Amino acid sequence: MYHDLPRPASFWSFLLAVDEDLAEETRKQGCPCGGHLHSANYLRKPRGTPIQLPEPQRLRLSFCCDRDGCRKRATPPSVRFLGRKVYLAAIVILVSAMRQGPNSRRVSELSRRFGADETTIARWQTFWREHFPQTPFWKVARAGFITLGEIVDLPYLLVDAFLGRHPPSEGWMLLLRFLSPITVPGGLQIKVSQ
Ligand SMILES: [Zn+2]
């Protein structure tokens, strides 16, 4: 069973390093208007983390176009933040997965342990059950996990697929990286290229 997040500080700083790589790719592409992208990071206040994260790890990396008249924001994918959700992506995934699977946990227990209230956890369940399966991202990616028409529990299926085959830190890293295309604003519409 999967019931905890990696605790070593090195894991959480590694996630930041991955986000920095993803950000660099976005920066290099520049703005669609032809302008250059400048740093415009903003501080998030993630809750429920297993360790106290230092400030740089709470920054959502982001950019702004430098051209007058455009100034459009460009936010790269992230392995730490899932859209506008306050909790770190790993927590949103883990708590939701713990509601499912062979040893599912009660909401009250998860709420106590991770500090997310029951309404929040219910909203995450709705996200995974109703919104995520409808995304173009998942419609393409699901072929690698399930056969057509198969009913599955998300995100348990994904947690099981990645953590069942890899040591925890590596499994989490691969899973978060896999899901990163859906973390940008409007990212639920994003199509994967391969
Ligand atoms: Zn621009």
Side-chain angles (χ1 to χ4, degrees), residues 31-35 65-67 70-72:
C31 183
C33 82
C65 175
D66 69 348
R67 264 199 194 167
C70 179
R71 302 280 176 196
K72 227 174 115 191

Side-chain angles (χ1 to χ4, degrees), residues 91-145:
I91 291 167
V92 178
I93 297 164
L94 179 66
V95 171
S96 306
M98 284 174 76
R99 291 279 298 135
Q100 310 163 325
N103 300 305
S104 63
R105 305 298 173 92
R106 288 199 308 277
V107 171
S108 55
E109 182 189 340
L110 295 170
S111 177
R112 259 199 317 279
R113 178 137 167 227
F114 293 92
D117 64 30
E118 302 193 3
T119 314
T120 303
I121 294 176
R123 216 180 298 130
W124 295 346
Q125 297 291 119
T126 306
F127 168 78
W128 290 111
R129 197 174 48 231
E130 291 170 24
H131 302 289
F132 180 76
Q134 299 306 320
T135 59
F137 170 80
W138 178 243
K139 285 179 177 169
V140 174
R142 56 177 282 153
F145 295 90

Side-chain angles (χ1 to χ4, degrees), residues 67 180 182:
R67 264 199 194 167
S180 66
I182 68 163

